[in-house]
Amino acid sequence: MEKTDATFSQGKKTNGSDDINLDDYINMKVATMPPTWEDPAAALANARHEFGEHGGVNMSIEASATFTVMEPETMRRMFAGELGADRDFFIYSRHFNPTVLNLGRKMAALEGTEAAYCTASGMSAISSVLLQLCRSGGHIVASRSLYGGTHALLANFLPRACNITTTFVDLSDLEAVKEAIVEGTTKLLYFEAVSNPTLAVANVPELSRIAHDKGAVVVVDNTFTPMVLSPARLGADVVIHSISKFVSGGADIIAGAVCGPASLINSMMNLHEGTLMLLGPTMNAKVAFELSERIPHLSLRMKEHCNRAMVYATRMKKLGLKVIYPGLEDHPDHLLLKSMANKEYGYGGLLCLDMETEERANKLMDILQNVTQFGLMAVSLGYHETLMSCSGSSTSSEMSAEARELAGISAGLVRMSIGYSGTLEQRWGQFEKALLKMKDY
Ligand SMILES: *Cc1c(COP(=O)(O)O)cnc(C)c1O
């Protein structure tokens, strides 16, 4: 997969000349789609292994903010773009840092994109991509069911600050999506591969075709389903991650990534026009090192998150609970997810339990955390402990009651990010015990 060792063109074009041509962008995307379907973990076996400075099996951390040159002429040539195309010359770490770049290579390898670069948060990855691709007056079509922060960015911030407007659509209504995309005006279609928190699955190939037909770029947030889904292989142009979740796995770091064509990453890094360069949502090199150490076991972790979510969802359903999990055959998007998912990963590590009222949802979570120790009441996902939150009053509270209803978020919806610490049966026992205690309510 030499695709992942993309040549960047650091500083080569400087004055807006690398404004992205959407047609080239989409054509290139189609040309670079790999012909075969493979386990995303396979990319790591072929990826370049960075050794440490003294022969360490781990790469060294390049903690420097700035970089020396041995001859004064080198500096001039770097700024003129004559050097640095292979990322063997560095200028300043807000621009490119070798350790952050290396994590980006791994993210690109996992998502099967030409290039990637990592940012200080998932939100900064999202805002940087949107601002790079859209100009003032630009239009976005986005899913109605999105992470609360992304929804607020699109609905409140971008119209006010940048005159960029968004039409929100029901993604399952492909006709409505088609209608909402206005050729020439709509710059991009934005959605989550599996959406927060209702676990609706996006038809990535079909939505990509619809958007591309009208010249719009497809940007997919794959935070919920790393390894499980590979949106770029399914037709998307850009894949976003909140690394803070599954990719990190430790619930200790806030980070993000933009994975896409080298032309996009380069434009975002452009010294004079790029959002990553000019808005400065820079990842710290020490954080990039930490995260690089976790990438090798992401596939193992995902398999166990997914395995347990499937077992618990099946058992919960058997007990007569209202459970939403796309691995269950009664989930409306089950077959769609099955048709797109990478083999042997399963159907994701999140499930939702509809307890109908907020009161019952809170009671259950209270017992699960404070009596039986099944999980923790906390937002976020991808941790080794199970995390539980009532979506309507937490992560999706930025949405209006009406928007929540349209997105199918009931007041008693408990989202669970299933962890893998302890044994599966031990944890299930803790869940069953909590249910018995719920009988009084
Ligand atoms: C958490 C999350 C984000 C935001 O990421 P941060 O790293 O918290 O900035 C974006 N999209 C989804 C789907 C998320 O779950």
Side-chain angles (χ1 to χ4, degrees):
M1 297 218 7
E2 71 283 359
K3 281 189 344 124
T4 58
D5 255 13
T7 38
F8 294 76
S9 54
Q10 175 172 328
K12 247 180 199 158
K13 300 167 185 173
T14 52
N15 37 25
S17 54
D18 64 349
D19 191 22
I20 296 169
N21 177 318
L22 297 184
D23 289 336
D24 290 353
Y25 194 69
I26 290 163
N27 289 340
M28 185 183 61
K29 165 71 213 159
V30 172
T32 56
M33 289 251 286
T36 53
W37 202 261
E38 59 181 16
D39 184 338
L44 293 181
N46 299 328
R48 185 163 100 194
H49 188 94
E50 290 294 330
F51 292 103
E53 202 180 350
H54 307 287
V57 292
N58 290 302
M59 67 174 168
S60 299
I61 304 173
E62 181 46 81
S64 298
T66 189
F67 298 83
T68 56
V69 290
M70 290 302 142
E71 291 119 25
E73 182 61 7
T74 308
M75 186 75 82
R76 189 198 62 75
R77 293 180 64 202
M78 278 195 309
F79 274 90
E82 293 164 21
L83 296 173
D86 298 324
R87 293 285 166 258
D88 43 0
F89 288 90
F90 293 91
I91 300 174
Y92 184 64
S93 279
R94 191 181 72 249
H95 186 224
F96 270 111
N97 170 284
T99 315
V100 181
L101 185 60
N102 197 50
L103 177 63
R105 284 199 185 100
K106 289 182 178 155
M107 291 302 297
L110 289 181
E111 285 298 350
T113 58
E114 263 193 319
Y117 205 67
C118 295
T119 58
S121 68
M123 282 311 299
S124 62
I126 294 167
S127 56
S128 300
V129 165
L130 298 183
L131 290 172
Q132 193 70 34
L133 291 172
C134 296
R135 290 170 179 281
S136 174
H139 180 242
I140 295 171
V141 172
S143 166
R144 198 179 262 170
S145 179
L146 287 176
Y147 176 70
T150 311
H151 186 270
L153 175 73
L154 292 167
N156 309 334
F157 187 91
L158 288 180
R160 172 169 63 71
C162 314
N163 190 27
I164 294 169
T165 55
T166 298
T167 302
F168 294 97
V169 291
D170 175 358
L171 276 195
S172 66
D173 186 349
L174 296 175
E175 274 310 308
V177 176
K178 208 178 281 180
E179 243 165 65
I181 301 176
V182 182
E183 206 159 350
T185 308
T186 306
K187 290 296 173 209
L188 61 99
L189 174 64
Y190 186 96
F191 58 89
E192 291 166 8
V194 171
S195 82
N196 185 24
T198 50
L199 309 180
V201 181
N203 188 336
V204 184
E206 205 48 52
L207 289 163
S208 299
R209 245 190 304 277
I210 289 170
H212 290 165
D213 274 352
K214 294 200 172 183
V217 174
V218 179
V219 182
V220 179
D221 181 334
N222 198 28
T223 299
F224 274 33
T225 41
M227 313 306 281
V228 175
L229 286 174
S230 301
R233 289 176 172 182
L234 295 165
D237 304 296
V238 183
V239 181
I240 302 275
H241 274 282
S242 166
I243 290 185
S244 323
K245 316 294 169 54
F246 286 108
V247 179
S248 155
D252 57 343
I253 289 175
I254 299 291
V258 179
C259 313
S263 62
L264 173 69
I265 305 298
N266 283 333
S267 74
M268 295 178 81
M269 281 299 181
N270 183 286
L271 292 168
H272 305 272
E273 300 269 340
T275 45
L276 292 179
M277 179 64 193
L278 300 177
L279 302 180
T282 313
M283 175 182 278
N284 185 296
K286 292 164 194 167
V287 166
F289 174 81
E290 272 277 337
L291 292 168
S292 295
E293 296 292 292
R294 304 174 192 193
I295 298 283
H297 44 72
L298 175 61
S299 67
L300 301 176
R301 289 187 276 118
M302 285 313 295
K303 281 179 182 169
E304 192 55 13
H305 282 297
C306 295
N307 171 43
R308 292 196 184 195
M310 185 71 198
V311 171
Y312 295 165
T314 308
R315 291 182 184 180
M316 286 172 186
K317 193 178 168 220
K318 243 185 216 149
L319 291 175
L321 293 168
K322 231 169 127 183
V323 54
I324 304 170
Y325 183 64
L328 296 178
E329 279 173 17
D330 67 359
H331 189 284
D333 298 329
H334 173 70
L335 289 177
L336 174 62
L337 180 55
K338 195 171 178 180
S339 74
M340 296 190 299
N342 293 319
K343 304 288 167 273
E344 288 170 30
Y345 282 92
Y347 299 91
L350 283 106
L351 61 84
C352 288
L353 205 49
D354 190 348
M355 298 302 290
E356 266 138 30
T357 66
E358 192 176 340
E359 200 188 0
R360 293 189 73 234
N362 287 343
K363 190 71 218 169
L364 178 65
M365 288 193 294
D366 186 15
I367 299 172
L368 284 171
Q369 173 175 293
N370 298 319
V371 182
T372 71
Q373 298 185 333
F374 173 78
L376 306 174
M377 274 184 274
V379 296
S380 197
L381 46 130
Y383 190 39
H384 54 74
E385 293 282 336
T386 292
L387 300 180
M388 311 172 291
S389 58
C390 188
S391 301
S393 51
S394 60
T395 51
S396 296
S397 59
E398 292 101 317
M399 296 167 77
S400 69
E402 192 194 9
R404 276 204 299 273
E405 198 181 308
L406 280 171
I409 305 170
S410 111
L413 200 71
V414 178
R415 185 184 76 184
M416 292 186 180
S417 166
I418 302 299
Y420 51 77
S421 62
T423 71
L424 186 153
E425 293 304 342
Q426 202 180 13
R427 293 303 194 173
W428 177 250
Q430 292 172 332
F431 183 81
E432 280 193 315
K433 204 167 136 198
L435 273 190
L436 283 176
K437 292 198 181 294
M438 277 295 284
K439 286 245 151 63
D440 311 332
Y441 298 92

